Amino acid sequence: MGTIKLKNIRTFSYHGCLVEEGKIGSDYTTDLEIKTDLRKSSLSDKLEDTVDYVLLNRIVVEEMAIRSHLLEHVAHRIVARIFKEIPAVSRIMLSVSKINPPIGGDVEAVTIEMEEYRN
């Protein structure tokens, strides 16, 4: 087994329960870690023998572009899509952070984390 990590994927998205959040948007960061078998690609040196992190990044960016009220919902969509499109992934650790959330206090970010295993 092995691990592929994408750290601090930055997007500007429109998630949130407030109407204003859907209009003005916010900055977000996403961290993604997947477990997969890296033995074949470590020997072959071929992209088709591993999980392409360009595809992982594209999935995150595309799903972050679809408005959700809750970070949990967008995170679930990211996880479900990775499992659907990339059979080699056996486990996903994902965190999604809203930078400077409008919660009436001086808070740098609010973050949700999910860990899911392929059934």
Side-chain angles (χ1 to χ4, degrees):
M1 274 302 179
T3 304
I4 296 174
K5 297 179 184 181
L6 281 73
K7 296 180 181 182
N8 203 24
I9 302 167
R10 292 175 294 281
T11 58
F12 189 86
S13 304
Y14 297 88
H15 308 302
C17 295
L18 302 175
V19 173
E20 295 81 15
E21 292 175 296
K23 293 179 181 175
I24 62 172
S26 293
D27 290 309
Y28 292 81
T29 61
T30 302
D31 292 322
L32 175 64
E33 176 180 309
I34 62 111
K35 290 285 187 186
T36 190
D37 189 344
L38 298 177
R39 291 174 290 192
K40 186 175 182 182
S41 61
S42 70
L43 297 172
S44 73
D45 197 29
K46 294 181 181 178
L47 181 60
E48 60 266 19
D49 291 335
T50 192
V51 174
D52 186 352
Y53 52 78
V54 172
L55 175 57
L56 291 170
N57 184 69
R58 183 176 14 187
I59 290 170
V60 169
V61 169
E62 288 175 359
E63 292 302 324
M64 288 297 290
I66 301 168
R67 178 163 161 69
S68 291
H69 288 110
L70 301 177
L71 296 180
E72 294 91 324
H73 186 258
V74 70
H76 171 76
R77 287 199 325 265
I78 292 168
V79 167
R81 187 163 163 203
I82 290 170
F83 279 143
K84 179 181 177 189
E85 294 185 22
I86 310 172
V89 174
S90 61
R91 175 183 156 265
I92 299 170
M93 287 283 299
L94 178 72
S95 67
V96 179
S97 299
K98 180 185 284 193
I99 309 304
N100 297 317
I103 61 174
D106 186 10
V107 178
E108 180 180 334
V110 77
T111 302
I112 64 99
E113 294 181 344
M114 293 182 129
E115 179 178 13
E116 298 290 336
Y117 294 83
R118 183 177 295 282
N119 292 337

